[in-house]
Amino acid sequence: MEKTMRTFKDVLDLLKVYDVYIHVGKRIWDIELAAIEIDNMYRADLLDAKEYAQIKLVLAHEHRLEEENTEV
């Protein structure tokens, strides 16, 4: 990973490097699928522990924000 992951777009851009394109239909679903793909990349040793932790923090933050935005 060349730069620090700070946004969901950064994560999506990283996934695209590995030909993983995500667009399920709802942003929260996209975030959840990205988390699954990142887990798979980590298990395949494509990410080190520090990169993985940073990405998971970004995804958790984005997921939390999306949940807050969709609450009634």
Side-chain angles (χ1 to χ4, degrees):
M1 181 170 61
E2 295 178 10
K3 65 177 189 168
T4 303
M5 296 285 125
R6 297 192 187 278
T7 67
F8 183 47
K9 183 179 181 326
D10 292 338
V11 176
L12 291 177
D13 289 344
L14 173 66
L15 288 170
K16 287 178 187 176
V17 169
Y18 294 95
D19 291 326
V20 176
Y21 296 85
I22 295 177
H23 181 73
V24 180
K26 286 191 177 183
R27 189 165 191 272
I28 197 160
W29 296 344
D30 292 347
I31 295 165
E32 291 169 356
L33 182 54
I36 291 167
E37 292 295 339
I38 291 298
D39 290 344
N40 291 335
M41 289 174 62
Y42 180 66
R43 279 191 225 101
D45 290 327
L46 297 173
L47 301 170
D48 66 30
K50 184 178 177 183
E51 293 168 329
Y52 177 71
Q54 179 63 38
I55 293 168
K56 292 298 275 190
L57 283 173
V58 168
L59 293 173
H61 174 74
E62 293 292 332
H63 194 276
R64 189 169 45 256
L65 289 176
E66 194 62 27
E67 283 181 327
E68 290 171 2
N69 289 336
T70 58
E71 287 180 358
V72 181

